[in-house]
Amino acid sequence: MTPQTWDAELYDARHSFVTGYGAALLDLLDAAPGERVLDAGCGTGEHVAQLAAAGVDAVGVDASPAMVRRAAARFPGIRVSVADLRDLPFREEFDAVLSNAVLHWVPEAGRAAACLYSTLRPGGRLVAEFGGAGNVSAIDTAARALRAGHGLPEAASPWYFPTVAGYARVLEDAGFEVRAAWLFDRPTRLTGADGLAVWVRMFAPHLLAGVGDPDTFLAELGERLRATLYRDGSWWADYRRLRVVAVRPPR
């Protein structure tokens, strides 16, 4: 897996919706004071800080050193560190794992699921949400068609967008008992007149690989997508999310 490079300050400034939409996931997690919770892919630390403020023994990990540095700067005192979700250093330490908008960046889904399973104590729970089947299909399809029109090669995708059934199998193969899983549309507003271009640069730079003039390419992409993804004065990304609740069975 090629590591994604993140501009952590831009992430906070222009893509705070990622954390904002995670509020529903925190409600679903319903962590009690004193519980030990791992935020797997903590980004810039917002959820770790919220959990800690509620009396939860919260720990955050992220594969991006830039994200971890930003989290530590924003919330001094929270416990965050750099770690790969495919190779975590914890064994049966947590009552729950929270993961928001991360697992679609880990194509080695079985390895990640097995690792998350290992971090949980027997009876512990996983609450996760990430891109599901069909996520950003309009953006991806239009960008690939535009690349082809420019004579550019097919862009390798870093994303993993599974179906409900497909990901349930991944979790069950890792040892989890799946309690709930659902896939839903969640059109997501992108801030600013350049919201689509900023989103592509942040989250889909692979679609710009080999492009000689990214500004012109992104302008052309915007014209192709304006009829479907621009409304009420804003760009809207065609997000589809997969949300799961699973449990490591008690011994």
Side-chain angles (χ1 to χ4, degrees), residues 5-32:
T5 301
W6 298 103
D7 181 332
E9 292 191 17
L10 180 63
Y11 183 90
D12 280 340
R14 296 295 299 273
H15 304 294
S16 60
F17 63 81
V18 177
T19 298
Y21 277 110
L25 211 59
L26 286 174
D27 290 343
L28 189 60
L29 181 72
D30 194 24

Side-chain angles (χ1 to χ4, degrees), residues 100-119:
N100 180 49
V102 175
L103 291 171
H104 55 252
W105 294 107
V106 189
E108 301 93 331
R111 182 173 169 186
C115 200
L116 294 175
Y117 178 92
S118 294
T119 70

Side-chain angles (χ1 to χ4, degrees), residues 168-248:
R169 283 194 298 273
V170 167
L171 291 176
E172 289 169 350
D173 287 346
F176 281 103
E177 178 183 281
V178 179
R179 296 290 180 85
W182 57 105
L183 179 69
F184 56 97
D185 293 333
R186 197 200 71 197
T188 298
R189 183 178 179 270
L190 307 176
T191 59
D194 60 347
L196 176 65
V198 171
W199 185 94
V200 172
R201 289 182 186 274
M202 172 66 79
F203 295 111
H206 60 285
L207 295 175
L208 299 176
V211 172
D213 183 352
D215 290 339
T216 299
F217 182 92
L218 289 168
E220 292 178 22
L221 180 63
E223 288 307 307
R224 290 189 177 214
L225 289 170
R226 184 169 295 273
T228 53
L229 297 185
Y230 191 84
R231 61 182 183 276
D232 303 326
S234 296
W235 287 102
W236 293 78
D238 56 321
Y239 276 22
R240 301 189 85 210
R241 309 316 271 178
L242 177 59
R243 188 177 292 175
V244 298
V245 179
V247 172
R248 174 172 175 165

Side-chain angles (χ1 to χ4, degrees), residues 113-129:
C115 200
L116 294 175
Y117 178 92
S118 294
T119 70
L120 286 166
R121 296 168 178 150
R125 64 198 184 279
L126 168 68
V127 176
E129 183 178 306

